Amino acid sequence: YLRAIAIDEKSLPPDHPDLARHLNNLAGLYDSQGRYEEAEPLFLRAIAIDEKSLPPDHPSLATDLNNLANLYYSQGRYEEAEPLYLRAIAIVEKSLPPDHPYLATHLHNLANLYYSQGRYEEAEPLYLRAIAIVEKSLPPDHPYLATHLHNLAGLYKSQGRYEEAEPLYLRAIKIAIKSLGENHPNTQIFLQNYRRMLDKS
């Protein structure tokens, strides 16, 4: 990643979208390692380049905004994350078809933010909308659908709505076993959370 960035900085204009993409990729690496202080300025620089070099409703800008929002979310910086998620959603709603998987991802991420804050009434319709989009746009056994179903089930579990949560957990588990395998970490998480709900209920 560093080498790619160095090549871009020598051979391309300073506001070229390829440089933004490579900066974003390196930031994503640092984010996944918990190296947040190193990731943040790279995400910010990528967004600044996007804003100069791309149309204001370009999906790549939405992706970079979403990635910075995810970084803030990971740090508990919810007030900084929320407007970035909302802006990413607004861009994607303008620039992509209404049932595009990217929109589902952004809606789901904002729902996770609200869920983490206990804003359940705001989170639920976002989860439901994301699920509806994924059901239209991706295969019926896609792992993304399993994740969306699992997180909505978690929301219902947090509210004590066990009868609504259970079929979502079961459907998520079935999809995950089929698409990822029984030993995949996501499948195991889904199973553990379902069992925990059964213990509570």
Side-chain angles (χ1 to χ4, degrees):
Y1 286 139
L2 290 167
R3 189 172 169 204
I5 290 166
I7 292 170
D8 287 343
E9 289 176 327
K10 283 187 178 180
S11 63
L12 297 174
D15 298 329
H16 197 284
D18 283 355
L19 176 57
R21 182 165 49 88
H22 294 146
L23 290 165
N24 185 70
N25 289 344
L26 180 59
L29 173 70
Y30 291 157
D31 186 11
S32 67
Q33 295 176 300
R35 297 165 64 181
Y36 302 135
E37 291 183 4
E38 293 169 271
E40 183 176 1
L42 297 173
F43 280 136
L44 289 167
R45 188 176 167 203
I47 289 166
I49 292 171
D50 287 342
E51 289 175 329
K52 285 186 178 180
S53 63
L54 299 174
D57 57 354
H58 196 285
S60 292
L61 175 57
T63 297
D64 289 355
L65 292 166
N66 177 79
N67 290 346
L68 179 59
N70 286 341
L71 176 76
Y72 291 155
Y73 173 75
S74 299
Q75 296 176 293
R77 297 164 65 181
Y78 300 142
E79 291 184 3
E80 293 169 272
E82 183 177 0
L84 297 173
Y85 283 135
L86 288 168
R87 190 175 165 204
I89 290 166
I91 290 169
V92 170
E93 286 178 327
K94 282 186 179 180
S95 61
L96 294 176
D99 57 354
H100 196 285
Y102 282 0
L103 177 56
T105 297
H106 298 323
L107 292 166
H108 183 260
N109 289 343
L110 180 59
N112 286 341
L113 176 73
Y114 290 157
Y115 179 19
S116 297
Q117 294 176 297
R119 297 163 66 181
Y120 300 142
E121 290 184 3
E122 293 169 271
E124 182 178 0
L126 297 173
Y127 281 135
L128 289 168
R129 191 175 163 204
I131 289 167
I133 291 169
V134 170
E135 287 177 327
K136 282 186 180 179
S137 61
L138 295 176
D141 57 354
H142 198 284
Y144 285 175
L145 177 56
T147 298
H148 293 322
L149 293 165
H150 169 264
N151 288 355
L152 178 59
L155 176 73
Y156 290 157
K157 182 183 79 171
S158 297
Q159 295 175 295
R161 298 163 64 181
Y162 302 131
E163 290 184 3
E164 292 169 272
E166 183 168 12
L168 297 172
Y169 274 129
L170 292 173
R171 190 174 164 206
I173 290 164
K174 183 178 179 181
I175 293 169
I177 289 172
K178 185 175 181 183
S179 61
L180 300 173
E182 194 163 349
N183 295 321
H184 191 278
N186 285 3
T187 308
Q188 290 300 308
I189 288 168
F190 299 167
L191 284 164
Q192 287 168 14
N193 288 336
Y194 174 57
R195 289 173 188 141
R196 284 178 188 146
M197 187 196 71
L198 292 179
D199 291 340
K200 284 186 177 181
S201 59

